[in-house]
Amino acid sequence: MRHFGHIAPEERQRLFFREPGVFTADSSARVLSAALGATLYSPANRPQLADDIVKQTGRGVVSMVLCLEDSIHDDEVEGAEENLVRQFTDLAGREDVGELPLLFIRVRFPGQIPDLVQRLGPAVRLLSGFVMPKFTEERGMPFLEALASAETASGRRLFAMPVLESPELLYRESRVETLEGISRAVDKYRDRVLALRLGVTDFCSSYALRRAPDMTAYDVQVVASVIADVVNMLGRADGTGFTVTGPVWEYFRVQERMFKPQLRRSPFLEGQAEELREALIEHAMDGLLREITLDQANGLMGKTCIHPSHVLPVHALSVVSHEEFSDAQDILRPERGGGGVLRSAYTNKMNEVKPHRAWAERTLLRAEVFGVAHEDIGFVDLLAAGLPE
């Protein structure tokens, strides 16, 4: 699979200076953690789940979570489990289906992990891992232990994606202790923790809050503070950190706006895409685009998505610009190993080799999976090219 693989090869050549790389479910954790992109959630009880997965693959989705937790009613769990096993078996038996997205199951309790792996049988080859809700050291360790046991029993490499969403993490008096516990737990299973996901909706729930479509998670200060602390303690670039993914965007369409649109008109006029700009605003996408940008500025990679229309904006803004790629390459040249300062090839900034090295390494990893845009290609071009006909 590859990002933007759903668009024609000649169109990719027009857009990309360096095309997104190909990866598979068996690629390294380093590559897969960067390649997750927009991870689309779907309730596990959908009757046409297998068809939905195939359909979303054709629209550019490369990672999905099939949810047995909050997205379904408590009394629907047993039926949803049966549906999951049936749909996975259906997918595994199809000969007309190419490579599928990375598929994860969000479970409610640890015992579901070995049970589902056993019930999936040969279809477990389609499974990449499990999403673990309300993760703390105390609640999370049984999930990780169950994952390790299921992996041994099945012979299938399985990844964990803990969701950081518990009140103990949000409350100031218990936050550091909770983060330290989470750090101990995920460090013990480092090779199997693909990414840490942020449950911002649950954070807001603890204070009876809900952000409006004109607001981002970073405008809600109690939420912004916990995101900062999670990145501070668990997202470091010194080899001890993990990939931390961006929070979910809840809105599909807005009927009435309180604040003026946040999308500048000029990039769309330059690309003759004013209609696209209006469509994004109409569907509350300007707030999403701003939040994705702030996710990246705050050290997050990828994003939880609950609507297919959110996938393309996440991927379009994840593509490395030609300018970023040029700076990263200059900083990482072997002859620059001793440090120093140099003017960027675009002559508009200072590149300081040692302080910017970690940024450059992360940028080239992102370039590996999302590609590098041509010098004259912006996110508007990528958005327009990826939209379905």
Side-chain angles (χ1 to χ4, degrees):
M1 70 192 88
R2 74 194 309 173
H3 285 290
F4 295 92
H6 64 300
I7 65 176
E10 58 271 19
E11 184 69 353
R12 286 201 306 271
Q13 291 176 9
R14 181 185 72 84
L15 295 169
F16 290 98
F17 173 76
R18 178 174 291 187
E19 289 194 30
V22 175
F23 57 93
T24 72
D26 296 319
S27 294
S28 69
R30 169 185 171 274
V31 168
L32 294 181
S33 65
L36 286 168
T39 300
L40 183 64
Y41 275 56
S42 176
N45 60 353
R46 289 178 66 88
Q48 304 299 322
L49 187 60
D51 291 335
D52 292 343
I53 291 169
V54 174
K55 179 179 179 180
Q56 296 309 325
T57 305
R59 293 182 173 181
V61 172
V62 303
S63 64
M64 290 186 70
V65 172
L66 314 174
C67 184
L68 290 167
E69 207 223 1
D70 287 347
S71 68
I72 62 174
H73 195 275
D74 293 346
D75 61 12
E76 296 177 321
V77 176
E78 184 177 345
E81 289 179 346
E82 294 173 357
N83 185 60
L84 260 185
V85 173
R86 186 167 56 251
Q87 301 288 341
F88 264 80
T89 302
D90 176 18
L91 278 175
R94 291 192 185 185
E95 297 181 356
D96 59 334
V97 175
E99 188 146 25
L100 295 168
L102 304 172
L103 297 177
F104 301 86
I105 299 173
R106 177 165 167 157
V107 290
R108 292 186 171 217
F109 51 88
Q112 285 179 301
I113 293 176
D115 179 60
L116 286 168
V117 167
Q118 189 273 327
R119 290 163 65 183
L120 284 171
V124 76
R125 65 181 176 82
L126 303 181
L127 182 65
S128 289
F130 291 88
V131 175
M132 302 168 177
K134 300 172 180 60
F135 194 94
T136 63
E137 182 179 27
E138 181 181 1
R139 289 194 293 270
M141 284 300 293
F143 280 104
L144 293 171
E145 291 163 357
L147 179 83
S149 297
E151 184 178 64
T152 300
S154 66
R156 169 69 180 167
R157 181 183 70 169
L158 297 170
F159 286 112
M161 290 203 291
V163 185
L164 310 186
E165 57 187 346
S166 64
E168 301 99 306
L169 182 59
L170 185 61
Y171 298 153
R172 183 168 184 168
E173 66 272 19
S174 55
R175 183 178 304 171
V176 172
E177 181 181 355
T178 302
L179 281 169
E180 288 174 343
I182 291 170
S183 179
R184 287 190 295 268
V186 295
D187 188 61
K188 183 175 180 180
Y189 289 87
R190 174 171 293 275
D191 292 344
R192 287 296 169 261
V193 176
L194 191 61
L196 305 176
R197 312 199 72 89
L198 290 166
V200 165
T201 302
D202 280 46
F203 289 158
C204 290
S205 174
S206 295
Y207 289 89
L209 301 173
R210 186 174 190 179
R211 68 189 190 276
D214 304 282
M215 301 280 184
T216 72
Y218 302 92
D219 295 312
V220 183
Q221 290 301 300
V222 69
V223 170
S225 69
V226 73
I227 293 175
D229 285 344
V230 167
V231 174
N232 190 322
M233 294 186 67
L234 298 172
R236 298 177 185 179
D238 60 0
T240 67
F242 296 83
T243 294
V244 182
T245 65
V248 68
W249 182 257
E250 299 178 354
Y251 295 94
F252 320 142
R253 186 183 182 97
V254 62
Q255 302 299 329
E256 182 179 355
R257 306 185 62 92
M258 181 176 296
F259 298 109
K260 67 180 181 180
Q262 301 171 83
L263 279 184
R264 291 189 301 112
R265 190 178 299 270
S266 53
F268 292 86
L269 293 177
E270 292 165 6
Q272 298 183 339
E274 178 67 11
E275 289 184 7
L276 174 58
R277 176 180 180 272
E278 294 299 327
L280 290 169
I281 291 170
E282 181 184 357
H283 289 81
M285 293 295 186
D286 53 329
L288 170 62
L289 293 173
R290 181 166 175 260
E291 184 165 285
I292 297 167
T293 303
L294 289 170
D295 286 341
Q296 294 173 352
N298 284 277
L300 310 184
M301 294 181 68
K303 198 166 186 65
T304 296
C305 294
I306 41 78
H307 195 273
S309 64
H310 299 167
V311 171
L312 182 57
V314 174
H315 291 170
L317 284 172
S318 297
V319 173
V320 174
S321 71
H322 188 272
E323 181 174 347
E324 290 175 310
F325 183 67
S326 174
D327 288 339
Q329 282 198 312
D330 283 348
I331 290 164
L332 295 176
R333 291 188 192 283
E335 63 269 24
R336 304 290 183 190
V341 177
L342 59 150
R343 185 174 64 174
S344 72
Y346 276 70
T347 68
N348 61 357
K349 72 177 76 64
M350 172 194 75
N351 287 328
E352 193 169 351
V353 174
K354 288 185 177 179
H356 290 146
R357 176 170 292 274
W359 168 85
E361 291 170 346
R362 178 176 288 188
T363 298
L364 291 190
L365 175 58
R366 185 158 54 93
E368 184 179 337
V369 292
F370 285 101
V372 179
H374 275 301
E375 190 171 357
D376 59 345
I377 295 295
F379 84 93
V380 174
D381 304 282
L382 294 161
L383 277 173
L387 289 172
E389 297 291 341

